[in-house]
Amino acid sequence: MARKRGERVRAILATAADLLGERGYAGVNLEDVAERLDVTKGSLYYYFASKDELVTAAIEALGAEWTDRLEALPAHGPPTERLRALLREHIRIAVREHPAALRLFLVPDEWPEPQRDRIKALRHRHDAVFRAVVEEGARTGEFAVVAVDPTLQVLHAGMSQAPLWVRTDREIEQLTETLLKLVAATA
Amino acid sequence: MARKRGERVRAILATAADLLGERGYAGVNLEDVAERLDVTKGSLYYYFASKDELVTAAIEALGAEWTDRLEALPAHGPPTERLRALLREHIRIAVREHPAALRLFLVPDEWPEPQRDRIKALRHRHDAVFRAVVEEGARTGEFAVVAVDPTLQVLHAGMSQAPLWVRTDREIEQLTETLLKLVAATA
Amino acid sequence: MARKRGERVRAILATAADLLGERGYAGVNLEDVAERLDVTKGSLYYYFASKDELVTAAIEALGAEWTDRLEALPAHGPPTERLRALLREHIRIAVREHPAALRLFLVPDEWPEPQRDRIKALRHRHDAVFRAVVEEGARTGEFAVVAVDPTLQVLHAGMSQAPLWVRTDREIEQLTETLLKLVAATA
Amino acid sequence: MARKRGERVRAILATAADLLGERGYAGVNLEDVAERLDVTKGSLYYYFASKDELVTAAIEALGAEWTDRLEALPAHGPPTERLRALLREHIRIAVREHPAALRLFLVPDEWPEPQRDRIKALRHRHDAVFRAVVEEGARTGEFAVVAVDPTLQVLHAGMSQAPLWVRTDREIEQLTETLLKLVAATA
DNA sequence: TATGAATGAGATTTCATTCAT
DNA sequence: AATGAATGAAATCTCATTCAT
């Protein structure tokens, strides 16, 4: 049954992504993935040909879902409001749902070559969402940035690391506002 | 001879730190460390009781040297200038000398418990250097920050991740100025 | 199949117990255990998490089987006859089946902490079988002992060491009768 | 200086004997021996050509000293008194001075071949002291034994294991009297 | 589909031994 | 006489992968 299979695969990917986030590529072993899913290692090999393939798929799924949600946010209104909404949502996902994922977007050279490229691609797509808003704001003069690239890098870095210290809603707000300063018009 | 021993230990730590940076904790194996030093694995165990101990020492040495250099920068002058100097120097070290080290300051839970605490302590000392300047600037009104903690977190995140995309001096400057916006007085 | 697994485990434990008896804890290596079973070292780790765990299980199994057999002996009749039967059976097992096992009942501090406690527990259960008879004999006046504890200690020591010098049935009988003198009523 | 050397050697042997007793042949490593003596491993090799040679010498020294002290006890008087004195002294040495040594006299096959033979020889000389008294007592009719060999074996086993449970002087007395029952004339 | 068993390569760790100083 | 450094062989342990059922 394709249905069943799809669910199974999704469950595996979600679990793998969690563990990957907790411990990084080399720190995760298939035994643990299997155990958390309450199946045996052997089963994983029915769905994925190798650890690398499983890992790549897990990253892909996580990244895709994440970007989907960011892209689903309203695409109109003043850039400041749109950027604020993006930041808030991104941080919220990072902190509440995938504390794991900071490893995916920071420290890419932790991963073996094949995964590295996929991660870069994902991050690129991810990046595009923010880039569009920042560039629009810069164009209209509502934002003042030193340069777009470093601004995006710092936005990302700041958001990705959030799971390490952000807990409360108030901290989410503070981080959001702090990051907004990166594009603020100066005195 | 204590001298000789010290040098040997330093050589081992430097090599370990390099590899650690290239591949992360789980990706490093003692065989490689030994080979790069042109000794046998057994020798490493003469100096360090375990892989973990070696790794901890390597991190410690790297972190200590780094903070020393930041603390050596002039401690007077307007906060903006001092913060600019700190950021520039930190990024320069990260990019030019220890691209490795982003692992030390980000992603602490990649490490086994014992290392985790040491890393946190190092990062804390490191942090204090920046915190002093930011707090002073906030007190004198030269800086305007949403809150000190998120500001420091973003500063760190932004700097630590620099090795991943910063190459030229011009990019170092742009990143420095971008980060300075986090404390800039707003219109 | 639980059945199959059980057999496999039993085979491993028996082999381990043999080697343990031949060479002691530190003298046994898993390579040898594996080779004797015609499997790879890795396989042993499928069943046991560590050398220590394997060894503990081997001891446990041996001790349990042994005590089972002693407890299966008739529990009625005059204490002298019952003690004689116990001694004879114990010595017979030690000499004919588990020359190994003197290590289990003597020299407990040869073992790492975790094993030590298990061994003590086993020995205690073992001890209880003999203690019951000796105490009954002492109560009814059929036995005369200096004190129960040292008597049991010497009974044990004498039996456990038997494999080192006892070979013939006649020697088994002589040892049995010699040990019975420990509880004999005196002139 | 021969004097100095002799003392050094004696110190090494004593330390080795202690550790050997605590942990058995395979459980002892030269690092530990050296550390307890506050010298380096290398030094041990100045005095002994190998671990085995050191171990053999340590056993030899311990056994010789021990037998010397037993042979120094008065060799006249009624066998019961002489045996009582021998037992008491042996147990006292075992419990108070060389709790270690039970490994030497029990479990000989823990040792590599060369040591094994030396240990047997030592034990044999040791045995002769007790054998003389038991045989005399048997000849004069003061003792009644099932047979001399098993009696000696049990005497030894009981005494050697004493360090494992005997602590107080009272326990030493009880063990001594319990062992004397092995040669007691029966009702 | 899924499992349990097994493997083999490679990683960490231990330790007797050697040797230049 | 003694040390510190280093080695290399062997031991313990880990884990991705395979496979019969």
Side-chain angles (χ1 to χ4, degrees):
Chain A
M1 227 135 286
R3 172 85 64 83
K4 267 285 181 57
R5 182 182 180 85
E7 274 166 39
R8 211 92 189 73
V9 166
R10 248 189 306 285
I12 295 172
L13 293 178
T15 303
D18 279 359
L19 277 165
L20 239 18
E22 284 170 31
R23 311 186 199 161
Y25 177 80
V28 164
N29 64 349
L30 296 187
E31 185 63 49
D32 293 346
V33 176
E35 193 178 329
R36 211 178 261 204
L37 283 160
D38 212 37
V39 299
T40 60
K41 256 189 300 184
S43 295
L44 299 181
Y45 278 85
Y46 179 74
Y47 295 98
F48 300 94
S50 68
K51 179 185 179 182
D52 273 19
E53 207 169 275
L54 166 52
V55 164
T56 306
I59 292 170
E60 205 105 356
L62 176 61
E65 181 220 326
W66 199 317
T67 316
D68 284 350
R69 287 171 61 177
L70 294 184
E71 287 173 348
L73 291 176
H76 55 276
T80 304
E81 277 323 300
R82 283 165 55 204
L83 183 54
R84 177 174 282 123
L86 278 175
L87 294 172
R88 196 182 278 135
E89 177 73 356
H90 189 297
I91 296 166
R92 218 182 277 278
I93 296 175
V95 171
R96 302 265 186 263
E97 297 171 50
H98 299 293
L102 81 165
R103 258 208 194 71
L104 304 188
F105 299 117
L106 308 175
V107 213
D109 50 348
E110 173 173 347
W111 307 87
E113 273 300 347
Q115 279 77 4
R116 203 128 75 200
D117 293 342
R118 282 309 300 145
I119 292 179
K120 279 186 185 157
L122 279 171
R123 155 121 192 208
H124 201 259
R125 187 181 150 215
H126 202 111
D127 215 62
V129 183
F130 286 87
R131 181 177 298 270
V133 182
V134 170
E135 282 178 345
E136 185 190 326
R139 210 169 40 245
T140 65
E142 192 171 329
F143 291 168
V145 296
V146 174
V148 173
D149 281 335
T151 303
L152 288 169
Q153 294 285 356
V154 176
L155 283 176
H156 257 296
M159 292 186 299
S160 297
Q161 215 191 338
L164 295 179
W165 62 276
V166 170
R167 292 290 170 273
T168 66
D169 280 342
R170 185 150 177 278
E171 284 166 334
I172 293 181
E173 287 314 308
Q174 286 188 334
L175 177 55
T176 304
E177 297 308 315
T178 298
L179 290 169
L180 276 173
K181 289 202 68 178
L182 290 167
V183 299
T186 21
Chain B
M1 233 132 277
R3 175 84 61 84
K4 268 283 176 58
R5 184 183 181 88
E7 274 165 39
R8 208 88 189 77
V9 167
R10 248 189 305 286
I12 294 172
L13 294 180
T15 303
D18 280 356
L19 278 165
L20 232 25
E22 286 169 31
R23 312 185 199 163
Y25 176 78
V28 166
N29 67 346
L30 296 187
E31 182 64 48
D32 294 347
V33 176
E35 196 177 325
R36 213 177 258 206
L37 284 161
D38 209 40
V39 297
T40 60
K41 270 177 295 178
S43 292
L44 299 181
Y45 280 87
Y46 178 70
Y47 294 97
F48 300 95
S50 69
K51 179 184 176 180
D52 274 17
E53 209 169 273
L54 166 54
V55 165
T56 307
I59 292 170
E60 205 115 351
L62 178 61
E65 182 220 323
W66 197 318
T67 315
D68 284 350
R69 287 171 60 176
L70 294 184
E71 287 175 346
L73 291 177
H76 57 274
T80 305
E81 278 322 299
R82 283 164 57 203
L83 183 54
R84 178 174 281 124
L86 278 175
L87 293 172
R88 194 182 281 135
E89 176 74 355
H90 188 299
I91 296 166
R92 214 182 279 279
I93 296 175
V95 172
R96 303 262 185 264
E97 298 172 51
H98 299 295
L102 80 165
R103 274 209 182 67
L104 305 190
F105 300 114
L106 308 174
V107 213
D109 49 349
E110 174 173 349
W111 306 88
E113 272 299 346
Q115 279 77 3
R116 203 128 77 199
D117 292 343
R118 282 307 301 146
I119 293 181
K120 279 186 185 158
L122 279 171
R123 155 121 193 207
H124 201 259
R125 188 181 149 215
H126 202 107
D127 214 64
V129 182
F130 287 87
R131 181 178 296 271
V133 181
V134 170
E135 282 178 345
E136 184 189 327
R139 208 169 40 245
T140 65
E142 192 171 327
F143 291 168
V145 296
V146 173
V148 172
D149 281 334
T151 302
L152 287 169
Q153 294 284 356
V154 176
L155 283 176
H156 257 296
M159 292 186 297
S160 297
Q161 216 190 342
L164 295 179
W165 62 276
V166 170
R167 292 290 171 275
T168 66
D169 279 343
R170 185 150 176 280
E171 284 166 333
I172 293 180
E173 288 313 309
Q174 287 189 334
L175 177 55
T176 304
E177 296 308 316
T178 299
L179 290 170
L180 277 173
K181 291 201 69 180
L182 291 167
V183 299
T186 25
Chain C
M1 232 131 281
R3 174 85 61 81
K4 268 282 176 58
R5 183 185 180 86
E7 273 165 41
R8 208 86 190 76
V9 166
R10 250 189 304 287
I12 294 172
L13 293 179
T15 304
D18 280 357
L19 277 164
L20 234 24
E22 286 169 29
R23 311 185 201 164
Y25 175 78
V28 165
N29 65 346
L30 297 187
E31 181 64 48
D32 294 346
V33 176
E35 195 176 327
R36 213 179 258 205
L37 283 161
D38 208 39
V39 296
T40 59
K41 271 176 295 176
S43 292
L44 301 180
Y45 280 87
Y46 178 71
Y47 293 98
F48 299 95
S50 67
K51 178 183 176 180
D52 274 17
E53 209 169 273
L54 165 54
V55 164
T56 307
I59 292 169
E60 204 114 349
L62 178 60
E65 182 221 323
W66 197 316
T67 315
D68 284 350
R69 288 171 62 177
L70 294 184
E71 287 174 346
L73 292 175
H76 55 275
T80 304
E81 275 325 298
R82 283 165 55 204
L83 183 55
R84 177 175 281 123
L86 277 176
L87 294 172
R88 195 183 278 135
E89 178 73 353
H90 189 297
I91 297 166
R92 215 183 278 277
I93 295 175
V95 171
R96 302 266 185 264
E97 298 171 50
H98 298 295
L102 79 165
R103 272 208 184 68
L104 306 190
F105 299 116
L106 308 174
V107 210
D109 49 349
E110 172 174 349
W111 307 87
E113 271 300 346
Q115 279 76 4
R116 202 127 77 200
D117 292 343
R118 282 308 301 144
I119 293 181
K120 279 187 186 159
L122 279 170
R123 155 123 193 207
H124 200 258
R125 187 181 149 214
H126 201 109
D127 214 65
V129 183
F130 287 87
R131 182 178 296 270
V133 181
V134 170
E135 283 178 345
E136 183 188 328
R139 208 168 43 242
T140 64
E142 192 171 326
F143 291 167
V145 295
V146 173
V148 173
D149 281 334
T151 303
L152 287 170
Q153 294 284 358
V154 176
L155 282 176
H156 257 297
M159 291 187 297
S160 296
Q161 217 189 341
L164 296 179
W165 61 276
V166 169
R167 291 290 171 275
T168 66
D169 278 344
R170 186 152 175 279
E171 285 166 332
I172 292 179
E173 287 314 310
Q174 287 188 336
L175 177 56
T176 304
E177 296 309 315
T178 298
L179 290 170
L180 276 172
K181 291 201 66 178
L182 290 167
V183 300
T186 22
Chain D
M1 228 136 285
R3 173 84 64 82
K4 266 286 180 61
R5 180 181 180 88
E7 274 165 38
R8 210 92 189 74
V9 167
R10 247 189 307 285
I12 294 172
L13 294 179
T15 303
D18 280 356
L19 277 166
L20 238 20
E22 285 169 30
R23 313 188 198 160
Y25 176 78
V28 164
N29 64 351
L30 295 188
E31 185 64 48
D32 293 346
V33 175
E35 194 177 330
R36 211 178 261 205
L37 285 161
D38 211 38
V39 298
T40 61
K41 256 191 299 183
S43 295
L44 300 180
Y45 279 85
Y46 180 75
Y47 295 98
F48 300 95
S50 69
K51 179 184 178 181
D52 274 18
E53 206 169 276
L54 165 55
V55 165
T56 307
I59 292 170
E60 205 105 355
L62 175 62
E65 182 221 325
W66 198 318
T67 317
D68 283 351
R69 287 171 61 177
L70 294 184
E71 287 175 347
L73 292 176
H76 56 274
T80 303
E81 277 324 298
R82 281 164 56 205
L83 183 55
R84 177 175 281 123
L86 277 175
L87 293 173
R88 195 183 280 135
E89 177 73 353
H90 189 298
I91 296 166
R92 216 182 278 277
I93 295 175
V95 171
R96 301 265 185 264
E97 297 171 51
H98 299 292
L102 80 165
R103 258 210 194 70
L104 304 189
F105 299 116
L106 309 173
V107 210
D109 49 350
E110 175 175 344
W111 307 86
E113 273 300 347
Q115 279 78 4
R116 201 129 76 203
D117 293 343
R118 281 309 300 146
I119 292 178
K120 279 186 185 155
L122 279 171
R123 154 121 192 208
H124 200 259
R125 186 179 151 217
H126 202 111
D127 214 64
V129 182
F130 287 87
R131 182 177 296 270
V133 181
V134 170
E135 281 179 345
E136 183 188 328
R139 207 169 41 245
T140 65
E142 190 172 326
F143 290 167
V145 296
V146 174
V148 172
D149 280 333
T151 301
L152 287 170
Q153 294 284 358
V154 175
L155 282 176
H156 257 296
M159 291 187 298
S160 296
Q161 215 190 342
L164 295 179
W165 62 276
V166 170
R167 291 290 170 275
T168 67
D169 279 342
R170 185 149 176 279
E171 283 166 334
I172 292 181
E173 287 315 308
Q174 287 189 333
L175 177 55
T176 304
E177 296 309 314
T178 298
L179 289 170
L180 277 172
K181 289 201 69 177
L182 290 167
V183 298
T186 25

